[in-house]
Amino acid sequence: MLIYSLDSLPPSLQQLKKPPKALFYRGNLELLDSKKIAIVGTRKPNPYSKLFTQSLSSQISKSGGVVISGGALGIDIIAHSAAFPRTIMVAPTDLEHFYPQTNKAMIEKIYTQALALSEYAKIPNPKPYHFLERNRIVIALSDAVIIPQADLASGSMESARIALELNKPLYVIPHRIGESEGTNALLAKAQAYAIYDIQRWIEEWFGSLFSPLQDEILDFCALIPSFEEAYQRFGDRLLEYELEGKIERKNGRIYVL
């Protein structure tokens, strides 16, 4: 279904050097009215980036925000899944197809219960430049951009360039030397802010009005601590939260569900 033609695009898309000529959609258009946080990154994230993306995306959703991404493998689909149904996918294909096929089940859910956008009326198989075109829409529609992990020569770094060009607030997470060299380079050049505390970031962007974390255990677990660190602090109360489904333990770390 057509949502916008060239002369009626949202102002954020009109700022692009090459705005889309049209925009098609499937799903819930009301999501466009919420504060939108773009989360994009590598297709092969390490465990640290996966856990961070899951926790942050979930909390953005619970805080009244929307996560926007590109439906790709890795960071993108993790972000969509954790924020679902408060998520927007910008597709590199038309909206009658699913790309990548590996993510078909999640993309089908986005089509019906979240929101999918595309500038293409009929593109079943994307070419390399379609991904770059998709990325510019993801970034332009967002209020802020987060790149959890990215290599130096990557589409995510092109997204970072667009974010800087459009004056979008750009955030990354710090990695060890030799890991995520793209985001570390952004930090080194002072082109991005580092997120050290997920809950504090949520409060800065969404305030306390929507904050879902109103107890000390969940506040602490939002920082993705090690299980040992959290257990030392809270003891068997931590296990109770795990049994109640409030938190989950993965790879020795705790994150909020």
mmCIF file of all heavy atoms in Angstrom, residues 31 34-40 56-57 59-61 64-69 79-80 83 86-88 138-139 141-147 169 171 195 201-202 205-206:
data_model
loop_
_atom_site.group_PDB
_atom_site.id
_atom_site.type_symbol
_atom_site.label_atom_id
_atom_site.label_comp_id
_atom_site.label_asym_id
_atom_site.label_seq_id
_atom_site.Cartn_x
_atom_site.Cartn_y
_atom_site.Cartn_z
ATOM 1 N N LEU A 31 2.949 3.569 14.498
ATOM 2 C CA LEU A 31 4.303 3.481 15.052
ATOM 3 C C LEU A 31 5.180 4.637 14.587
ATOM 4 O O LEU A 31 6.156 4.999 15.263
ATOM 5 C CB LEU A 31 4.946 2.146 14.674
ATOM 6 C CG LEU A 31 4.310 0.900 15.301
ATOM 7 C CD1 LEU A 31 4.940 -0.356 14.735
ATOM 8 C CD2 LEU A 31 4.458 0.933 16.817
ATOM 9 N N SER A 34 5.706 7.624 17.111
ATOM 10 C CA SER A 34 6.472 7.474 18.343
ATOM 11 C C SER A 34 7.922 7.890 18.145
ATOM 12 O O SER A 34 8.387 8.051 17.014
ATOM 13 C CB SER A 34 6.418 6.015 18.818
ATOM 14 O OG SER A 34 5.098 5.609 19.086
ATOM 15 N N LYS A 35 8.636 8.061 19.239
ATOM 16 C CA LYS A 35 10.064 8.329 19.160
ATOM 17 C C LYS A 35 10.741 7.080 18.608
ATOM 18 O O LYS A 35 10.540 5.978 19.108
ATOM 19 C CB LYS A 35 10.621 8.664 20.540
ATOM 20 C CG LYS A 35 12.073 9.103 20.536
ATOM 21 C CD LYS A 35 12.509 9.599 21.909
ATOM 22 C CE LYS A 35 11.849 10.929 22.229
ATOM 23 N NZ LYS A 35 12.325 11.483 23.523
ATOM 24 N N LYS A 36 11.550 7.259 17.562
ATOM 25 C CA LYS A 36 12.122 6.116 16.835
ATOM 26 C C LYS A 36 13.640 6.081 17.008
ATOM 27 O O LYS A 36 14.323 7.067 16.722
ATOM 28 C CB LYS A 36 11.759 6.208 15.350
ATOM 29 C CG LYS A 36 10.261 6.103 15.092
ATOM 30 C CD LYS A 36 9.904 6.353 13.647
ATOM 31 C CE LYS A 36 10.021 7.811 13.249
ATOM 32 N NZ LYS A 36 9.079 8.694 13.986
ATOM 33 N N ILE A 37 14.142 4.940 17.449
ATOM 34 C CA ILE A 37 15.579 4.734 17.647
ATOM 35 C C ILE A 37 16.062 3.698 16.637
ATOM 36 O O ILE A 37 15.593 2.564 16.635
ATOM 37 C CB ILE A 37 15.889 4.253 19.073
ATOM 38 C CG1 ILE A 37 15.238 5.175 20.117
ATOM 39 C CG2 ILE A 37 17.399 4.143 19.268
ATOM 40 C CD1 ILE A 37 15.719 6.608 20.083
ATOM 41 N N ALA A 38 16.987 4.100 15.773
ATOM 42 C CA ALA A 38 17.564 3.156 14.809
ATOM 43 C C ALA A 38 18.646 2.332 15.497
ATOM 44 O O ALA A 38 19.520 2.888 16.175
ATOM 45 C CB ALA A 38 18.156 3.900 13.622
ATOM 46 N N ILE A 39 18.578 1.026 15.329
ATOM 47 C CA ILE A 39 19.624 0.130 15.822
ATOM 48 C C ILE A 39 20.066 -0.729 14.649
ATOM 49 O O ILE A 39 19.298 -1.546 14.129
ATOM 50 C CB ILE A 39 19.130 -0.750 16.984
ATOM 51 C CG1 ILE A 39 18.662 0.132 18.152
ATOM 52 C CG2 ILE A 39 20.234 -1.696 17.446
ATOM 53 C CD1 ILE A 39 18.209 -0.643 19.376
ATOM 54 N N VAL A 40 21.287 -0.536 14.210
ATOM 55 C CA VAL A 40 21.826 -1.261 13.060
ATOM 56 C C VAL A 40 23.241 -1.727 13.394
ATOM 57 O O VAL A 40 23.902 -1.181 14.276
ATOM 58 C CB VAL A 40 21.849 -0.377 11.799
ATOM 59 C CG1 VAL A 40 20.436 0.037 11.400
ATOM 60 C CG2 VAL A 40 22.711 0.867 12.022
ATOM 61 N N LEU A 56 18.615 -3.469 25.324
ATOM 62 C CA LEU A 56 18.268 -2.092 24.993
ATOM 63 C C LEU A 56 16.997 -2.020 24.148
ATOM 64 O O LEU A 56 16.106 -1.198 24.410
ATOM 65 C CB LEU A 56 19.422 -1.416 24.264
ATOM 66 C CG LEU A 56 19.181 0.045 23.876
ATOM 67 C CD1 LEU A 56 18.912 0.898 25.116
ATOM 68 C CD2 LEU A 56 20.348 0.600 23.089
ATOM 69 N N SER A 57 16.879 -2.881 23.140
ATOM 70 C CA SER A 57 15.698 -2.863 22.272
ATOM 71 C C SER A 57 14.430 -3.151 23.062
ATOM 72 O O SER A 57 13.396 -2.502 22.867
ATOM 73 C CB SER A 57 15.857 -3.880 21.145
ATOM 74 O OG SER A 57 16.971 -3.589 20.345
ATOM 75 N N GLN A 59 13.908 -2.585 26.228
ATOM 76 C CA GLN A 59 13.582 -1.473 27.115
ATOM 77 C C GLN A 59 13.081 -0.250 26.348
ATOM 78 O O GLN A 59 12.236 0.496 26.844
ATOM 79 C CB GLN A 59 14.794 -1.124 27.968
ATOM 80 C CG GLN A 59 15.089 -2.217 28.984
ATOM 81 C CD GLN A 59 16.158 -1.815 29.958
ATOM 82 O OE1 GLN A 59 16.050 -0.792 30.618
ATOM 83 N NE2 GLN A 59 17.206 -2.601 30.047
ATOM 84 N N ILE A 60 13.587 -0.041 25.149
ATOM 85 C CA ILE A 60 13.050 1.037 24.312
ATOM 86 C C ILE A 60 11.566 0.797 24.059
ATOM 87 O O ILE A 60 10.733 1.693 24.193
ATOM 88 C CB ILE A 60 13.824 1.140 22.984
ATOM 89 C CG1 ILE A 60 15.236 1.691 23.226
ATOM 90 C CG2 ILE A 60 13.071 2.018 21.976
ATOM 91 C CD1 ILE A 60 16.138 1.610 22.014
ATOM 92 N N SER A 61 11.234 -0.434 23.701
ATOM 93 C CA SER A 61 9.848 -0.795 23.430
ATOM 94 C C SER A 61 8.966 -0.600 24.659
ATOM 95 O O SER A 61 7.887 -0.011 24.592
ATOM 96 C CB SER A 61 9.792 -2.254 22.956
ATOM 97 O OG SER A 61 8.463 -2.703 22.837
ATOM 98 N N GLY A 64 7.957 3.014 25.603
ATOM 99 C CA GLY A 64 7.108 3.785 24.705
ATOM 100 C C GLY A 64 7.748 4.162 23.399
ATOM 101 O O GLY A 64 7.137 4.838 22.575
ATOM 102 N N GLY A 65 8.990 3.729 23.179
ATOM 103 C CA GLY A 65 9.672 4.027 21.932
ATOM 104 C C GLY A 65 9.497 2.949 20.893
ATOM 105 O O GLY A 65 8.850 1.926 21.135
ATOM 106 N N VAL A 66 10.076 3.187 19.736
ATOM 107 C CA VAL A 66 10.018 2.237 18.620
ATOM 108 C C VAL A 66 11.437 2.026 18.107
ATOM 109 O O VAL A 66 12.208 2.976 17.977
ATOM 110 C CB VAL A 66 9.124 2.780 17.480
ATOM 111 C CG1 VAL A 66 9.284 1.963 16.208
ATOM 112 C CG2 VAL A 66 7.668 2.786 17.918
ATOM 113 N N VAL A 67 11.777 0.778 17.820
ATOM 114 C CA VAL A 67 13.079 0.446 17.242
ATOM 115 C C VAL A 67 12.917 0.299 15.742
ATOM 116 O O VAL A 67 12.045 -0.441 15.267
ATOM 117 C CB VAL A 67 13.643 -0.857 17.848
ATOM 118 C CG1 VAL A 67 14.869 -1.326 17.067
ATOM 119 C CG2 VAL A 67 14.001 -0.642 19.311
ATOM 120 N N ILE A 68 13.742 0.992 14.978
ATOM 121 C CA ILE A 68 13.708 0.909 13.517
ATOM 122 C C ILE A 68 15.021 0.327 13.023
ATOM 123 O O ILE A 68 16.096 0.682 13.498
ATOM 124 C CB ILE A 68 13.428 2.293 12.888
ATOM 125 C CG1 ILE A 68 13.379 2.200 11.360
ATOM 126 C CG2 ILE A 68 14.427 3.328 13.337
ATOM 127 C CD1 ILE A 68 12.844 3.459 10.698
ATOM 128 N N SER A 69 14.921 -0.623 12.076
ATOM 129 C CA SER A 69 16.122 -1.263 11.549
ATOM 130 C C SER A 69 15.821 -1.820 10.155
ATOM 131 O O SER A 69 14.774 -1.529 9.585
ATOM 132 C CB SER A 69 16.601 -2.365 12.507
ATOM 133 O OG SER A 69 17.931 -2.751 12.207
ATOM 134 N N ALA A 79 17.343 -6.779 17.160
ATOM 135 C CA ALA A 79 16.673 -5.559 17.618
ATOM 136 C C ALA A 79 15.167 -5.612 17.337
ATOM 137 O O ALA A 79 14.353 -5.280 18.203
ATOM 138 C CB ALA A 79 17.296 -4.339 16.938
ATOM 139 N N HIS A 80 14.790 -6.028 16.123
ATOM 140 C CA HIS A 80 13.363 -6.151 15.795
ATOM 141 C C HIS A 80 12.665 -7.113 16.748
ATOM 142 O O HIS A 80 11.576 -6.821 17.255
ATOM 143 C CB HIS A 80 13.196 -6.684 14.364
ATOM 144 C CG HIS A 80 13.502 -5.707 13.281
ATOM 145 N ND1 HIS A 80 12.946 -4.454 13.216
ATOM 146 C CD2 HIS A 80 14.320 -5.815 12.187
ATOM 147 C CE1 HIS A 80 13.392 -3.829 12.140
ATOM 148 N NE2 HIS A 80 14.229 -4.628 11.505
ATOM 149 N N ALA A 83 12.234 -5.814 20.390
ATOM 150 C CA ALA A 83 11.316 -4.680 20.514
ATOM 151 C C ALA A 83 9.897 -5.015 20.071
ATOM 152 O O ALA A 83 8.978 -4.229 20.316
ATOM 153 C CB ALA A 83 11.828 -3.502 19.687
ATOM 154 N N ARG A 86 6.740 -3.237 18.789
ATOM 155 C CA ARG A 86 7.015 -1.810 18.598
ATOM 156 C C ARG A 86 8.302 -1.658 17.785
ATOM 157 O O ARG A 86 9.349 -1.219 18.292
ATOM 158 C CB ARG A 86 7.105 -1.099 19.952
ATOM 159 C CG ARG A 86 5.775 -1.107 20.697
ATOM 160 C CD ARG A 86 5.796 -0.166 21.877
ATOM 161 N NE ARG A 86 6.034 1.219 21.485
ATOM 162 C CZ ARG A 86 5.122 2.050 20.989
ATOM 163 N NH1 ARG A 86 3.868 1.615 20.789
ATOM 164 N NH2 ARG A 86 5.431 3.293 20.673
ATOM 165 N N THR A 87 8.200 -2.042 16.525
ATOM 166 C CA THR A 87 9.371 -2.006 15.657
ATOM 167 C C THR A 87 8.967 -1.704 14.221
ATOM 168 O O THR A 87 7.860 -2.055 13.787
ATOM 169 C CB THR A 87 10.154 -3.333 15.747
ATOM 170 O OG1 THR A 87 11.402 -3.179 15.095
ATOM 171 C CG2 THR A 87 9.388 -4.488 15.129
ATOM 172 N N ILE A 88 9.864 -1.038 13.506
ATOM 173 C CA ILE A 88 9.663 -0.702 12.099
ATOM 174 C C ILE A 88 10.828 -1.272 11.304
ATOM 175 O O ILE A 88 11.987 -1.054 11.652
ATOM 176 C CB ILE A 88 9.609 0.825 11.884
ATOM 177 C CG1 ILE A 88 8.438 1.437 12.657
ATOM 178 C CG2 ILE A 88 9.492 1.157 10.389
ATOM 179 C CD1 ILE A 88 8.440 2.964 12.667
ATOM 180 N N VAL A 138 16.251 4.283 6.998
ATOM 181 C CA VAL A 138 16.297 3.912 8.415
ATOM 182 C C VAL A 138 16.846 5.068 9.241
ATOM 183 O O VAL A 138 16.270 5.464 10.265
ATOM 184 C CB VAL A 138 17.167 2.653 8.619
ATOM 185 C CG1 VAL A 138 17.417 2.401 10.103
ATOM 186 C CG2 VAL A 138 16.511 1.426 7.986
ATOM 187 N N ILE A 139 17.975 5.623 8.795
ATOM 188 C CA ILE A 139 18.626 6.680 9.560
ATOM 189 C C ILE A 139 17.807 7.967 9.529
ATOM 190 O O ILE A 139 17.618 8.632 10.561
ATOM 191 C CB ILE A 139 20.044 6.938 9.016
ATOM 192 C CG1 ILE A 139 20.881 5.656 9.060
ATOM 193 C CG2 ILE A 139 20.715 8.051 9.808
ATOM 194 C CD1 ILE A 139 20.944 4.982 10.409
ATOM 195 N N LEU A 141 14.618 8.468 9.222
ATOM 196 C CA LEU A 141 13.381 8.404 9.997
ATOM 197 C C LEU A 141 13.620 8.382 11.501
ATOM 198 O O LEU A 141 12.700 8.600 12.286
ATOM 199 C CB LEU A 141 12.566 7.166 9.598
ATOM 200 C CG LEU A 141 11.816 7.227 8.272
ATOM 201 C CD1 LEU A 141 11.172 5.880 7.970
ATOM 202 C CD2 LEU A 141 10.763 8.330 8.286
ATOM 203 N N SER A 142 14.842 8.120 11.921
ATOM 204 C CA SER A 142 15.125 7.935 13.347
ATOM 205 C C SER A 142 15.357 9.252 14.064
ATOM 206 O O SER A 142 15.728 10.264 13.461
ATOM 207 C CB SER A 142 16.350 7.037 13.513
ATOM 208 O OG SER A 142 17.521 7.719 13.094
ATOM 209 N N ASP A 143 15.161 9.216 15.379
ATOM 210 C CA ASP A 143 15.501 10.346 16.238
ATOM 211 C C ASP A 143 16.917 10.212 16.792
ATOM 212 O O ASP A 143 17.527 11.201 17.191
ATOM 213 C CB ASP A 143 14.503 10.442 17.393
ATOM 214 C CG ASP A 143 13.103 10.761 16.900
ATOM 215 O OD1 ASP A 143 12.895 11.876 16.410
ATOM 216 O OD2 ASP A 143 12.229 9.883 16.982
ATOM 217 N N ALA A 144 17.419 8.993 16.850
ATOM 218 C CA ALA A 144 18.790 8.720 17.277
ATOM 219 C C ALA A 144 19.216 7.398 16.663
ATOM 220 O O ALA A 144 18.371 6.572 16.284
ATOM 221 C CB ALA A 144 18.901 8.660 18.800
ATOM 222 N N VAL A 145 20.528 7.198 16.562
ATOM 223 C CA VAL A 145 21.070 6.002 15.912
ATOM 224 C C VAL A 145 22.039 5.312 16.869
ATOM 225 O O VAL A 145 22.910 5.954 17.462
ATOM 226 C CB VAL A 145 21.819 6.368 14.612
ATOM 227 C CG1 VAL A 145 22.404 5.124 13.953
ATOM 228 C CG2 VAL A 145 20.881 7.102 13.648
ATOM 229 N N ILE A 146 21.872 3.992 16.992
ATOM 230 C CA ILE A 146 22.762 3.185 17.829
ATOM 231 C C ILE A 146 23.380 2.092 16.967
ATOM 232 O O ILE A 146 22.661 1.362 16.274
ATOM 233 C CB ILE A 146 22.008 2.555 19.009
ATOM 234 C CG1 ILE A 146 21.378 3.647 19.881
ATOM 235 C CG2 ILE A 146 22.939 1.681 19.851
ATOM 236 C CD1 ILE A 146 20.455 3.114 20.950
ATOM 237 N N ILE A 147 24.694 1.991 17.005
ATOM 238 C CA ILE A 147 25.407 0.935 16.284
ATOM 239 C C ILE A 147 26.169 0.113 17.323
ATOM 240 O O ILE A 147 27.243 0.516 17.773
ATOM 241 C CB ILE A 147 26.374 1.515 15.230
ATOM 242 C CG1 ILE A 147 25.629 2.443 14.274
ATOM 243 C CG2 ILE A 147 27.055 0.388 14.459
ATOM 244 C CD1 ILE A 147 26.511 3.092 13.217
ATOM 245 N N PRO A 169 21.858 12.159 16.640
ATOM 246 C CA PRO A 169 22.691 11.682 17.744
ATOM 247 C C PRO A 169 23.123 10.233 17.485
ATOM 248 O O PRO A 169 22.286 9.377 17.183
ATOM 249 C CB PRO A 169 21.765 11.778 18.958
ATOM 250 C CG PRO A 169 20.728 12.790 18.570
ATOM 251 C CD PRO A 169 20.538 12.628 17.093
ATOM 252 N N TYR A 171 25.223 6.789 18.764
ATOM 253 C CA TYR A 171 25.709 6.089 19.951
ATOM 254 C C TYR A 171 26.313 4.738 19.566
ATOM 255 O O TYR A 171 25.859 4.080 18.621
ATOM 256 C CB TYR A 171 24.567 5.841 20.937
ATOM 257 C CG TYR A 171 23.939 7.092 21.491
ATOM 258 C CD1 TYR A 171 22.883 7.711 20.819
ATOM 259 C CD2 TYR A 171 24.385 7.655 22.683
ATOM 260 C CE1 TYR A 171 22.294 8.864 21.322
ATOM 261 C CE2 TYR A 171 23.798 8.810 23.192
ATOM 262 C CZ TYR A 171 22.759 9.404 22.510
ATOM 263 O OH TYR A 171 22.174 10.539 22.999
ATOM 264 N N ILE A 195 27.571 4.337 25.171
ATOM 265 C CA ILE A 195 26.542 3.960 26.146
ATOM 266 C C ILE A 195 27.198 3.028 27.160
ATOM 267 O O ILE A 195 27.591 1.913 26.827
ATOM 268 C CB ILE A 195 25.348 3.261 25.468
ATOM 269 C CG1 ILE A 195 24.668 4.203 24.468
ATOM 270 C CG2 ILE A 195 24.341 2.799 26.525
ATOM 271 C CD1 ILE A 195 23.524 3.556 23.707
ATOM 272 N N TRP A 201 20.608 5.717 29.849
ATOM 273 C CA TRP A 201 20.318 6.145 28.485
ATOM 274 C C TRP A 201 18.808 6.183 28.252
ATOM 275 O O TRP A 201 18.281 7.139 27.656
ATOM 276 C CB TRP A 201 20.993 5.209 27.485
ATOM 277 C CG TRP A 201 20.892 5.693 26.075
ATOM 278 C CD1 TRP A 201 21.783 6.467 25.403
ATOM 279 C CD2 TRP A 201 19.813 5.444 25.149
ATOM 280 N NE1 TRP A 201 21.324 6.724 24.126
ATOM 281 C CE2 TRP A 201 20.131 6.113 23.944
ATOM 282 C CE3 TRP A 201 18.628 4.735 25.234
ATOM 283 C CZ2 TRP A 201 19.300 6.076 22.834
ATOM 284 C CZ3 TRP A 201 17.780 4.707 24.125
ATOM 285 C CH2 TRP A 201 18.118 5.364 22.951
ATOM 286 N N ILE A 202 18.109 5.154 28.719
ATOM 287 C CA ILE A 202 16.654 5.112 28.589
ATOM 288 C C ILE A 202 16.023 6.319 29.280
ATOM 289 O O ILE A 202 15.127 6.980 28.734
ATOM 290 C CB ILE A 202 16.080 3.803 29.180
ATOM 291 C CG1 ILE A 202 16.442 2.606 28.288
ATOM 292 C CG2 ILE A 202 14.566 3.894 29.362
ATOM 293 C CD1 ILE A 202 15.710 2.550 26.971
ATOM 294 N N TRP A 205 16.450 9.537 27.266
ATOM 295 C CA TRP A 205 15.662 9.642 26.044
ATOM 296 C C TRP A 205 14.157 9.546 26.268
ATOM 297 O O TRP A 205 13.374 10.096 25.502
ATOM 298 C CB TRP A 205 16.114 8.585 25.030
ATOM 299 C CG TRP A 205 17.270 9.086 24.241
ATOM 300 C CD1 TRP A 205 18.603 8.974 24.548
ATOM 301 C CD2 TRP A 205 17.210 9.855 23.040
ATOM 302 N NE1 TRP A 205 19.361 9.610 23.607
ATOM 303 C CE2 TRP A 205 18.538 10.160 22.665
ATOM 304 C CE3 TRP A 205 16.174 10.308 22.236
ATOM 305 C CZ2 TRP A 205 18.849 10.903 21.527
ATOM 306 C CZ3 TRP A 205 16.472 11.045 21.094
ATOM 307 C CH2 TRP A 205 17.797 11.337 20.753
ATOM 308 N N PHE A 206 13.748 8.835 27.307
ATOM 309 C CA PHE A 206 12.318 8.605 27.513
ATOM 310 C C PHE A 206 11.832 9.084 28.872
ATOM 311 O O PHE A 206 10.634 9.079 29.124
ATOM 312 C CB PHE A 206 11.993 7.118 27.334
ATOM 313 C CG PHE A 206 12.269 6.615 25.959
ATOM 314 C CD1 PHE A 206 13.458 5.953 25.666
ATOM 315 C CD2 PHE A 206 11.366 6.815 24.929
ATOM 316 C CE1 PHE A 206 13.737 5.503 24.379
ATOM 317 C CE2 PHE A 206 11.627 6.370 23.641
ATOM 318 C CZ PHE A 206 12.810 5.722 23.366
#
